[in-house]
Amino acid sequence: MDVAAGATLEISPYQPKSLIRHEGELTGAGSVKISSYRGANAETTNEGSGELCGTNVNFTGQVLIDHDYYTKIEGGVTKYTIPNFRVHTYIVATDGRNLGGPLDAFRYDSLWLRHYGCLFPRRSLTLDQTNRGVYLSDKALMELKPDVELSILNPVTLDGELIAYGRGAFGGTLALGGPLRFAANNDLSDATGPTAEKNIMTISNICLKALSTNAFNGAAITLKDQAKLLVDLGTTNESVRLNGLYNVAGSLAADDKIRVAFENVPENGGEAAICTVAVASPLTVESFTFERPAKLTPTVSVREANGSKTFVVTLARGGMLVIFR
């Protein structure tokens, strides 16, 4: 199906828990909008989902995941039902190419999540087209099943709050590697620095992993409900190995201690940075708790340089040791 420039294909799963699938391939430079809304029976109406199933490499337009306001007039008064965390619109994806093909020039909002629009990958997938930006405005959701890793290497523009959370007892992994940009109220004239209350990342019940040192800097990150930082001891990215989740321009906090898990751990252990934050950050070596691999014990150290401090974990056989450098 061709969606010409200036045209919009609307997928509207208005019925409770409905799913509308577009099976064919998309082409063109227009827009796809997936949106549901809370109807007149607002207390019982639930979210709907849309799914793009095609390998849409020839689609160069925008995909918008939205949740429209329902308007009702009673006694001359206009009322709105507002989307919220419990009632929102999903886009279901199984392949990064479902969301469009490569672009000749950068577009910051090629994939746009707003008003609790939610990206839900059925299986692990990677978004890796550098000109196809991901725009997160108002409240944007990402829901991850257990054993699913969503890797986003595209540039991400944050203009509100990203809420990433798990489905089930514990969800999957959100791995970010594209550069993080900021904008307030759709204003991209100076998308260079974070704006308070528009730079929020709330991570619940999943693992969070850094794939680069420019994927999180400036965000106000809060880990909740057993969320964990995932440290890859086998990473080949030297900058990530030395800095971990780099966020000297923002903040990193948890509702308790910051939980740290590991992957690709050598048999005899190894060393990698957990995170790098501003030297004024309240984090200390006692701010972390670890999922210990078998027969290995974590040792935490901190190094300070140029107004930042980096927390480094060493896994080795033996007892626990805390070192200040």
Side-chain angles (χ1 to χ4, degrees):
M1 178 179 182
D2 184 69
V3 185
T8 300
L9 169 63
E10 295 200 19
I11 299 174
S12 303
Y14 286 157
Q15 295 300 316
K17 298 188 180 300
S18 60
L19 170 64
I20 297 177
R21 305 181 69 192
H22 189 281
E23 298 280 358
E25 292 191 9
L26 296 173
T27 60
S31 298
V32 174
K33 179 181 179 181
I34 301 176
S35 180
S36 58
Y37 66 83
R38 294 179 71 179
N41 189 11
E43 296 303 316
T44 58
T45 302
N46 294 306
E47 64 269 3
S49 302
E51 183 172 6
L52 304 179
C53 303
T55 305
N56 301 316
V57 294
N58 294 313
F59 177 69
T60 58
Q62 179 190 72
V63 177
L64 168 63
I65 318 305
D66 202 356
H67 198 102
D68 290 335
Y69 295 90
Y70 171 79
T71 305
K72 185 178 182 180
I73 299 177
E74 291 183 354
V77 177
T78 301
K79 299 183 177 181
Y80 300 90
T81 56
I82 310 299
N84 58 47
F85 184 78
R86 293 180 58 84
V87 182
H88 49 262
T89 304
Y90 288 94
I91 181 169
V92 181
T94 57
D95 188 307
R97 295 170 297 179
N98 298 153
L99 305 177
L103 305 181
D104 293 331
F106 175 66
R107 177 172 180 171
Y108 75 93
D109 61 351
S110 292
L111 173 62
W112 185 359
L113 306 179
R114 71 176 182 183
H115 296 155
Y116 294 90
C118 184
L119 174 59
F120 178 72
R122 288 191 187 275
R123 61 191 182 199
S124 294
L125 61 85
T126 298
L127 306 182
D128 59 0
Q129 298 180 29
T130 55
N131 279 341
R132 184 170 281 279
V134 178
Y135 183 40
L136 310 174
S137 69
D138 184 58
K139 306 284 187 180
L141 307 184
M142 296 179 184
E143 181 177 323
L144 302 177
K145 300 189 299 181
D147 301 320
V148 164
E149 180 167 312
L150 173 61
S151 299
I152 300 178
L153 304 178
N154 307 38
V156 173
T157 302
L158 185 55
D159 184 14
E161 181 180 9
L162 167 64
I163 303 171
Y165 61 98
R167 172 178 285 193
F170 193 84
T173 298
L174 175 62
L176 299 183
L180 180 61
R181 308 165 73 249
F182 299 94
N185 302 319
N186 301 320
D187 180 9
L188 291 175
S189 60
D190 184 21
T192 56
T195 301
E197 306 302 322
K198 295 285 187 178
N199 65 332
I200 300 171
M201 291 187 179
T202 302
I203 312 299
S204 301
N205 209 35
I206 62 171
C207 288
L208 185 66
K209 182 168 69 170
L211 299 178
S212 74
T213 53
N214 60 0
F216 295 97
N217 195 28
I221 304 171
T222 301
L223 305 176
K224 301 174 60 178
D225 302 328
Q226 311 296 314
K228 306 167 188 175
L229 293 185
L230 184 59
V231 175
D232 182 1
L233 269 73
T235 182
T236 58
N237 186 316
E238 186 70 2
S239 183
V240 172
R241 189 184 69 81
L242 293 175
N243 294 279
L245 190 154
Y246 185 87
N247 191 15
V248 297
S251 60
L252 176 63
D255 53 8
D256 191 7
K257 290 190 174 185
I258 294 176
R259 295 171 174 83
V260 180
F262 303 97
E263 66 177 358
N264 300 318
V265 180
E267 182 179 357
N268 292 317
E271 180 179 280
I274 303 168
C275 62
T276 298
V277 294
V279 72
S281 167
L283 294 183
T284 71
V285 292
E286 296 180 349
S287 299
F288 304 92
T289 185
F290 300 93
E291 289 189 355
R292 294 173 54 177
K295 300 180 181 180
L296 297 174
T297 300
T299 299
V300 185
S301 62
V302 59
R303 62 173 183 261
E304 296 186 11
N306 302 320
S308 68
K309 54 186 178 183
T310 300
F311 295 92
V312 178
V313 60
T314 302
L315 290 177
R317 299 179 185 274
M320 185 171 184
L321 176 65
V322 177
I323 302 173
F324 292 88
R325 293 177 180 168

